[in-house]
């Protein structure tokens, strides 16, 4: 059985990313997660499910909420549809991890803690896509760690220095 997510909270790539996440506001984190998911993860979903727009709709809804165009219940409905798409993608680890990633990234508008799903699901989606799901776990994890490094660089690029309102995150790990 293929792993559905990375789960090593103590790994250097996890700890490094979490430390930066803790310095940023929920809004900054949501923009970063949604932008990264759309640029890197959504194309992985679309490779297998180009006609299923639920993940794109979730990202759009998150952006609309961030801009004040819609209320949270409307956004949450689209996000829940994305989570349904992930459940329906059982048997396709790349597509399933992609939809889970996107759902978590969009959910950052509700709770900043969800942005870590970008790393834990998204890096695995990228690794499975690049290496195949039958590659040895050590190779998968190395590829995922490298992707987490790119995620961290993307967050650093948009991070607000001395953020006055950092998210208060209880990692529960």
């Amino acid at each position: 059985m293929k792993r559905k997510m990375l789960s090593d909270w103590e790994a250097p790539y996890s700890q490094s990313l979490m430390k930066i996440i803790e310095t940023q506001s929920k809004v900054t984190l949501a923009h970063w997660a949604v932008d990264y998911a759309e640029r890197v993860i959504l194309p992985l979903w679309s490779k297998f499910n180009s006609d299923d727009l639920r993940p794109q709709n979730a990202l759009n809804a998150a952006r609309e909420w961030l801009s004040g165009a819609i209320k949270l219940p409307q956004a949450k409905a689209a996000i829940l549809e994305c989570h349904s798409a992930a459940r329906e993608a059982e048997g396709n680890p790349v597509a399933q991890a992609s939809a889970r990633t996107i759902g978590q990234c969009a959910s950052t508008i509700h709770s900043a803690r969800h942005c870590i799903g970008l790393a834990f699901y998204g890096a695995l989606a990228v690794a499975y896509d690049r290496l195949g799901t039958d590659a040895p776990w050590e190779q998968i994890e190395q590829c995922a760690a490298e992707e987490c490094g790119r995620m961290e660089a993307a967050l650093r690029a948009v991070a607000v220095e001395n953020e006055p309102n950092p998210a208060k995150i209880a990692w529960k790990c």
Side-chain angles (χ1 to χ4, degrees):
M1 182 171 174
K2 303 298 172 218
R3 295 186 191 193
K4 295 189 181 208
M5 67 181 284
L6 298 174
S7 57
D8 187 354
W9 293 87
E10 299 302 322
Y13 58 83
S14 300
Q15 289 294 307
S16 180
L17 187 55
M18 289 163 57
K19 280 181 178 45
I20 297 166
I21 288 169
E22 291 170 350
T23 70
Q24 297 302 298
S25 70
K26 179 172 75 170
V27 169
T28 298
L29 295 170
H31 280 291
W32 160 70
V34 167
D35 290 347
Y36 199 95
E38 188 163 59
R39 184 171 52 83
V40 176
I41 306 299
L42 185 61
L44 301 179
W45 169 261
S46 298
K47 263 169 109 167
F48 303 99
N49 302 288
S50 61
D51 293 339
D52 189 338
L53 300 179
R54 291 177 290 180
Q56 179 67 65
N57 293 341
L59 294 172
N60 291 346
R63 279 206 175 89
E64 289 176 30
W65 181 87
L66 286 163
S67 73
I70 64 173
K71 300 287 185 195
L72 190 58
Q74 291 172 275
K76 284 175 83 172
I79 293 165
L80 289 173
E81 285 297 316
C82 183
H83 289 302
S84 292
R87 285 189 298 278
E88 293 167 20
E90 186 72 37
N92 183 333
V94 174
Q96 187 170 56
S98 297
R100 284 188 172 161
T101 304
I102 292 165
Q104 291 297 306
C105 290
S107 294
T108 303
I109 66 171
H110 169 68
S111 171
R113 183 176 183 268
H114 286 290
C115 74
I116 199 66
L118 177 59
F120 283 177
Y121 292 113
L124 190 59
V126 168
Y128 279 158
D129 183 63
R130 288 196 182 135
L131 302 175
T133 57
D134 293 326
W137 178 250
E138 295 76 25
Q139 290 177 16
I140 297 277
E141 190 171 35
Q142 178 59 41
C143 183
E146 291 166 6
E147 188 63 27
C148 285
R150 287 185 281 279
M151 292 170 181
E152 184 177 324
L155 179 53
R156 285 185 188 280
V158 299
V160 175
E161 194 171 334
N162 300 314
E163 169 64 56
N165 189 25
K168 291 171 181 50
I169 301 175
W171 292 110
K172 298 179 186 171
C173 47

